[in-house]
Amino acid sequence: MNKPFGNSDEKLSAYVTRVYAPEDAVLAEIRARSAAAGLPDIQVAALDALHLEVLARAAGARRAVEIGTLGGYSGVALLRGMGAEGELDTIELSEHHAEVARESFRRAGVAARARIHIGAAADVLPQLARRGPFDLVFIDADKPNNTAYFEWALKLTRPGSLLIADNVVRDGAVLDADSSDASVQGVRHFNAALAAEPRVVASAIQTVGSKGYDGLAFAVVVGE
Ligand SMILES: C[S@@+](CC[C@H](N)C(=O)[O-])C[C@H]1O[C@@H](n2cnc3c(N)ncnc32)[C@H](O)[C@@H]1O
């Protein structure tokens, strides 16, 4: 399986995959069709999609915002977690990615509950503010803007809402304070802002990345 669990330990990855079976035929088809359409292989790992589904369900989320749709892989997971009443507003810069995602939502049987907003998240988020509060915001787009998206997430949510962000470790690159990579600096800034923000209680779990390790941050909003 791609993006294996357990720091690329094949046996451990196979064990977790066998036991938790995080990727069903619907998600596998989305990943394959996204690759065939030329999309980059940067959807969340299968186990992280399962994390999203479980977290959405644990939070009792019914309305979620996703920043970074790609081919709809994580969007389907979030919609599954929100159940039959759940609705997703997902933002995507690329029309081509959005087209693939539209087909993914259709095939997953969730198209009626998924709204894809094509455009830069910085332009779309203010439009969504009118329709808040949302129960969950998932940040997974251009990392240099992570902290700006976090600030929007606080505006879009209410106490009890869940905020989630992927790739907060970047295969360990976050350790380099002097990195010239804007994504690394964006994530470093975001992690510091999230951890220091008094309106949330936040943590991060180790997940999987291209070199075997990444991180998923999650936070519950506790104040306005
Ligand atoms: C990591 S992928 C999202 C993966 C998706 N969440 C999943 O796991 O299936 C990031 C996506 O964000 C999109 N993106 C990049 N910059 C953006 C921006 N400024 N506004 C909205 N979307 C953006 C990219 O085109 C890409 O499809």
Side-chain angles (χ1 to χ4, degrees):
M1 108 177 270
N2 84 326
K3 298 186 180 174
F5 182 84
N7 294 350
S8 298
D9 177 325
E10 282 178 23
K11 280 191 188 154
L12 187 53
S13 179
Y15 168 79
V16 172
T17 303
R18 191 169 66 248
V19 174
Y20 287 95
E23 188 176 76
D24 67 358
V26 172
L27 290 175
E29 190 278 334
I30 293 173
R31 195 155 58 79
R33 186 166 34 78
S34 296
L39 272 54
D41 184 21
I42 53 172
Q43 68 285 320
V44 295
L47 204 65
D48 294 335
L50 191 53
H51 289 146
L52 292 178
E53 181 177 341
V54 171
L55 287 170
R57 199 163 278 272
R62 290 289 171 270
R63 303 180 65 220
V65 172
E66 175 180 63
I67 307 170
T69 315
L70 194 68
Y73 191 94
S74 56
V76 167
L78 287 168
L79 280 158
R80 286 176 170 175
M82 291 192 289
E85 308 274 293
E87 290 183 13
L88 177 70
D89 284 277
T90 181
I91 308 171
E92 176 51 57
L93 188 62
S94 155
E95 291 208 18
H96 179 49
H97 295 184
E99 194 182 316
V100 174
R102 197 168 295 115
E103 177 65 8
S104 301
F105 293 141
R106 191 188 69 73
R107 291 190 187 215
V110 296
R113 301 190 283 115
R115 268 182 296 276
I116 305 175
H117 304 264
I118 300 172
D123 297 331
V124 177
L125 287 164
Q127 298 164 26
L128 292 181
R130 286 192 290 275
R131 308 223 331 272
F134 291 87
D135 307 315
L136 188 156
V137 176
F138 176 45
I139 301 171
D140 189 22
D142 48 328
K143 309 306 175 190
N145 283 319
N146 258 24
T147 307
Y149 297 154
F150 170 48
E151 282 160 12
W152 269 110
L154 286 171
K155 289 182 198 155
L156 289 169
T157 51
R158 52 158 178 84
S161 295
L162 201 56
L163 313 183
I164 311 173
D166 195 22
N167 311 120
V168 300
V169 167
R170 308 196 69 74
D171 293 312
V174 286
L175 291 177
D176 183 3
D178 300 322
S179 173
S180 57
D181 182 328
S183 293
V184 170
Q185 291 300 349
V187 167
R188 282 178 57 85
H189 194 270
F190 166 77
N191 282 329
L194 182 72
E197 173 55 57
R199 287 170 290 176
V200 305
V201 176
S203 187
I205 50 172
Q206 183 180 328
T207 59
V208 291
S210 51
K211 289 185 202 152
Y213 55 104
D214 207 327
L216 191 76
F218 53 97
V220 61
V221 179
V222 293
E224 297 189 60

